[in-house]
């Protein structure tokens, strides 16, 4: 079974902290994605990566950065966490191609206080 | 990107078929129709996809209109486990990311 593993299920951080959300996949997928999900707003794309060391901005990249040093790992970085970044964060991965399915992690519920 | 329109919510009785509609009137010839669902407290999971012909798999069936401007996800016998938000998504070729709309929240009544 394909596995997409997010490092934490729940996380509480203070305003201003630098926060790292880690995502690891075990199926050699080229593409990886970070979304956030908020009530009433659905899933919104933050960043994605086609391959190692490559990254593209999604719809809401402000306040975030990403790192993809190895194919299996895609990290989302909150440079200076703010309360409006309290959200559910979801990581996904997929092979290249328009008919391939994406696999999602369980999500990290981040609370910034 | 072509948009999809789905009802906000639907309700079904357990063990009855469910037809979840999706309108995509601006679909282009290279857009694949994908369906994902999100069970409570979980990440989305793939359900099915198609281009022009109807498709079946172990989870569901996908019926695509002849003009491709609409499609319907069919769950043949709804169970309580099928209660989820169902997303209809159009995907272009290449590496374009999945763009999620609001989806349809399906409730299943025992």
């Amino acid at each position: 079974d394909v596995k997409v593993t997010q490092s934490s299920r729940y996380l509480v951080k203070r305003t201003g902290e630098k926060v790292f959300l880690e995502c690891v996949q075990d199926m050699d997928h080229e593409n990886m994605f970070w979304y956030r999900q908020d009530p009433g707003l659905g899933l919104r794309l933050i960043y994605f990566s086609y391959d190692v060391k490559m990254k593209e901005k999604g719809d809401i990249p402000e306040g975030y950065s990403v790192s993809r040093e190895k194919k299996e790992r895609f990290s989302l970085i909150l440079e200076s966490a703010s309360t409006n970044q309290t959200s559910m964060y979801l990581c996904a991965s997929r092979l290249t191609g328009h008919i391939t399915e994406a696999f999602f992690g369980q999500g990290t519920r981040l609370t910034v206080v | 990107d072509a948009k999809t329109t789905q009802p906000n919510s639907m309700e079904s009785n357990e063990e009855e078929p469910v037809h979840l509609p999706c309108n995509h009137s601006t679909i282009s010839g290279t857009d694949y129709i994908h369906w994902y669902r999100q069970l409570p407290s979980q990440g989305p999971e793939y359900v099915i996809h198609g281009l022009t012909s109807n498709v079946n798999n172990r989870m569901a069936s996908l019926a695509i209109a002849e003009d491709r401007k609409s499609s319907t996800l069919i769950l043949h016998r709804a169970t309580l486990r099928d209660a989820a938000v169902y997303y209809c998504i159009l995907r272009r070729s290449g590496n374009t990311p999945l763009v999620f709309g609001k989806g349809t929240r399906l409730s299943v009544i025992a």
Side-chain angles (χ1 to χ4, degrees), chain A residues 9 35 37 50 97-98 100 102, chain B residues 32 36 38 41 91 95 98:
Chain A
R9 192 89 165 101
Y35 293 85
Q37 185 169 29
Y50 295 139
H98 50 278
T100 60
Chain B
Y32 279 77
Y36 282 74
Q38 187 173 19
S41 302
R91 274 198 62 193
N95 290 327
L98 292 172

Side-chain angles (χ1 to χ4, degrees), chain A residues 8 10-15 17 19 108-113:
Chain A
S8 305
Y10 299 95
L11 211 51
V12 180
K13 294 291 180 181
R14 294 193 182 279
T15 302
E17 272 193 80
V19 181
T108 296
R109 183 162 294 283
L110 172 68
T111 303
V112 182
V113 297

